[in-house]
Amino acid sequence: MERKRVFSGIQPTGDSLHLGNYLGAMVGMLDLQEQHECIFSVVDYHAITVPYETERLSQRVLNVALDYLAAGIDPQKSVLMVQSDVHEHVELSWILGCLITVNKLSHLPTYKDKVARYGVAGLGLLSYPVLMAADILLYEAELVPVGQDQLPHIEFAREVARAFNRRFEPVFPEPQAHLMPGAVVPSLLGQGAMSKSVPGSYIALTDEPAVIGKKLAGAVTDPARQRLRDSGEPTRCNVYTLHELYTLPQQLSEIAAGCRGATIGCLECKAVLAEEISEGLAPIRERRRALAADPNYMRDVLRDGAQRARSMAEATMFKVKQAMGLLTA
Ligand code: TYM
């Protein structure tokens, strides 16, 4: 199989990643790192586009890096780096920004959502998708493992690549999203997706089994099912959507039949899922604990990752500048 470049990034906005990040994005990264040349990043410059706590940022960056390694990203196979360690991300972002209209950016859905949520309309927030396009194009990446919420941004990166190639020379491939079955991991609150910014919506990768059990016990199910004797409809239930990602087909169809026929209660159904999720997360939690005990190792991995990323970034920037008439010597 042809070896392609892969890039993806995760923002350091919480204390630990959640099941949505893992099933939506990381499972795809793990899948791709076996065959392709991967660069995975903690995108700290994206995290400062909205208000954040200065004193917690550096620890959050390290936490995401820990989550990457604990989940199985292997620094022997993939490059793991922090975005702000490679200044070419910002340099290319400036260049690409010169090809894009403000009007186009202000109509992207995430910009409007964030302005509504934070009440700030900073230039950084507006050009967030340009920086994201730069992240991907800087490594000439062809595949981008992400959750479904990132699709408008990937589409935008493709447009930017086309605009550059048309205006100057064909330097960039058009990147494609690499989606997994967990592309939309639902919220525990019954509506929308699991999200770091919505408390109560998520299961963290660091949650202990007892916490997972408790969170799931409180999760919203099919609203039509108030009592055990009410029959439920699994397709209206977020807990069932999670079951679809964890439970083998035979048991899954038993659960669906039990829900429709009111022979299995929601708590029983949730207990099965809690055990499966806890079992799946146990090795990640253990590896994370071991890695957290050795901060020097983590620093070495990130230093090495930055160095490897930098040499790829420099090669692309040379082509970009040459194509644009920015090289004088
Ligand atoms: P971020 O940090 O919000 O999320 C990281 C990854 O997790 C995925 N994800 C989900 N997938 C399925 N179900 C969910 N409930 C769920 N919640 C989050 C996201 O889709 C994402 O893949 N803009 C990006 C970061 C970024 C980036 C990049 C990604 C910056 N530059 C370049 C790819 C390539 C973001 O905010 O992801």
Side-chain angles (χ1 to χ4, degrees), residues 7-13 17-26 29 43 46 83 114 128 131-133 135-136 144-151 153-154 182-187 192-196:
F7 181 91
S8 195
I10 299 183
Q11 292 196 68
T13 43
L17 297 183
H18 56 70
L19 217 50
N21 303 129
Y22 179 70
L23 298 170
M26 285 181 143
M29 299 180 196
V43 288
H46 279 104
Q83 186 187 33
K114 285 188 181 167
Y128 179 112
L131 180 58
M132 181 160 160
D135 295 340
I136 299 166
V144 189
V146 281
Q148 189 166 293
D149 63 310
Q150 296 300 313
L151 289 185
H153 288 150
I154 307 293
V184 187
V185 175
S187 161
M194 218 176 247
S195 164
K196 270 177 270 194

Side-chain angles (χ1 to χ4, degrees), residues 161-172:
R162 280 198 294 273
F164 185 98
N165 293 345
R166 219 173 20 237
R167 168 73 180 82
F168 302 108
E169 277 169 34
V171 170
F172 300 118

Side-chain angles (χ1 to χ4, degrees), residues 10 12 30 50 56 95 127 129 146 158 184 211 257 295 304 308 314:
I10 299 183
L30 296 172
V50 291
R56 295 176 86 167
I95 287 173
S127 63
V146 281
R158 292 167 63 86
V184 187
V211 175
D304 176 60
R308 286 155 69 197
E314 279 165 11

